[in-house]
């Protein structure tokens, strides 16, 4: 009887090992479009994965194991991407914006145009941001616990001279004439003006 129980336990161990092996998943993508990788993973994992208009370029992804969510997060870290998981939908972006009830902003982005960052900031915070001309050169920024107006100032720092006016839940950005540069540096002046507290920011770019 004891031998029979031992045999049953041994058989159960073999069955569990087979199921564990069957649960292992392997993926390998080498220098492929990020959008194609996300599309393939979405199909195979039966997860709704979408990417916004900031996602572009190629990447490599190798994975073998059972914890797909952790592996996926590691892939995003290596590709400088961020994901928002909401109601079963994973949205991948090159921009991550968090805001609290007091209006403070945390923003992370890598190699994204200022226009795209300001657009996502406006959508996230509900503040209308209007601008005339903004350079298209990509920016990479990280900051936390900033007001919306200071966030705009930080994003535009080094891009030129702007007058930034905040009024009635909206921010307007206007290009102003450049200051006369010195021999070894150029000046960037941004003015954030509110009824309560005008703020002038002057930075030198070597």
């Amino acid at each position: 009887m004891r031998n029979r129980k031992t045999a049953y336990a041994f058989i159960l161990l073999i069955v569990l090992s087979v199921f564990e092996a069957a649960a292992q998943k392997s993926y390998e993508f080498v220098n492929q479009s990020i959008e194609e990788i996300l599309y393939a993973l979405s199909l195979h994992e039966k997860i709704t994965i979408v990417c916004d208009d900031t996602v572009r370029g190629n990447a490599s992804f190798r994975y073998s194991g059972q914890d797909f969510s952790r592996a996926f997060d590691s892939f995003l870290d290596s590709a400088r991407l961020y994901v928002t998981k909401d109601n079963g939908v994973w949205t991948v972006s090159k921009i991550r914006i968090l805001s609290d009830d007091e209006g403070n902003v945390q923003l992370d982005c890598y190699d994204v145009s200022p226009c795209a960052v300001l657009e996502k900031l406006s959508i996230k915070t509900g503040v209308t941001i209007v601008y005339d001309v903004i350079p298209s050169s990509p920016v990479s920024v990280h900051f936390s616990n900033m007001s919306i107006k200071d966030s705009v100032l930080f994003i535009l720092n080094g891009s030129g001279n702007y007058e930034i006016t905040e009024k009635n839940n909206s921010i307007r950005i206007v290009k102003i004439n450049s200051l006369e540069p010195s021999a070894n540096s150029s000046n960037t002046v941004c003015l954030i003006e509110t009824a309560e507290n005008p703020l002038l920011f002057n930075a030198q770019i070597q």
Side-chain angles (χ1 to χ4, degrees):
M1 185 68 178
R2 184 175 182 179
N3 291 336
R4 183 176 298 179
K5 290 183 178 180
T6 303
Y8 285 156
F10 181 71
I11 293 173
L12 179 60
L13 179 61
I14 293 177
V15 172
L16 290 175
S17 298
V18 170
F19 278 126
E20 183 178 357
Q24 294 284 332
K25 298 179 181 181
S26 297
Y27 296 102
E28 181 172 2
F29 302 94
V30 180
N31 195 30
Q32 289 185 242
S33 166
I34 295 176
E35 293 176 292
E36 293 178 358
I37 294 175
L38 296 176
Y39 178 72
L41 294 176
S42 178
L43 288 179
H44 286 277
E45 291 294 328
K46 295 180 174 56
I47 300 173
T48 303
I49 304 175
V50 297
C51 49
D52 68 9
D53 55 354
T54 66
V55 177
R56 62 185 184 276
N58 294 350
S60 298
F61 177 45
R62 295 178 178 86
Y63 166 70
S64 178
Q66 297 175 335
D67 193 345
F68 172 77
S69 180
R70 179 178 297 179
F72 185 76
D73 289 341
S74 297
F75 163 67
L76 295 181
D77 288 342
S78 65
R80 303 291 182 91
L81 297 170
Y82 308 96
V83 64
T84 301
K85 301 176 182 179
D86 186 26
N87 294 326
V89 178
W90 296 11
T91 303
V92 178
S93 175
K94 297 193 76 172
I95 304 171
R96 177 176 60 189
I97 301 175
L98 304 174
S99 61
D100 57 28
D101 295 336
E102 298 179 356
N104 295 318
V105 174
Q106 175 183 327
L107 190 149
D108 298 279
C109 72
Y110 178 79
D111 195 31
V112 187
S113 71
C115 292
V117 181
L118 293 176
E119 177 186 350
K120 303 300 182 185
L121 180 62
S122 176
I123 294 173
K124 181 65 177 181
T125 61
V127 174
T128 301
I129 301 177
V130 182
Y131 49 85
D132 294 331
V133 179
I134 292 179
S136 58
S137 301
V139 297
S140 300
V141 297
H142 164 76
F143 58 78
S144 59
N145 296 324
M146 279 193 177
S147 65
I148 298 175
K149 63 180 182 181
D150 288 344
S151 299
V152 173
L153 176 65
F154 196 92
I155 294 167
L156 294 178
N157 182 23
S159 298
N161 306 316
Y162 300 93
E163 181 180 354
I164 304 174
T165 307
E166 183 183 47
K167 183 179 181 181
N168 297 332
N169 201 41
S170 66
I171 292 177
R172 182 171 181 82
I173 306 169
V174 179
K175 180 80 172 180
I176 61 178
N177 293 330
S178 300
L179 297 179
E180 190 69 23
S182 63
N184 299 320
S185 66
S186 61
N187 289 329
T188 297
V189 175
C190 290
L191 176 65
I192 291 184
E193 182 180 1
T194 64
E196 296 79 15
N197 184 26
L199 171 64
L200 181 66
F201 180 85
N202 189 349
Q204 285 194 339
I205 312 298
Q206 297 295 330

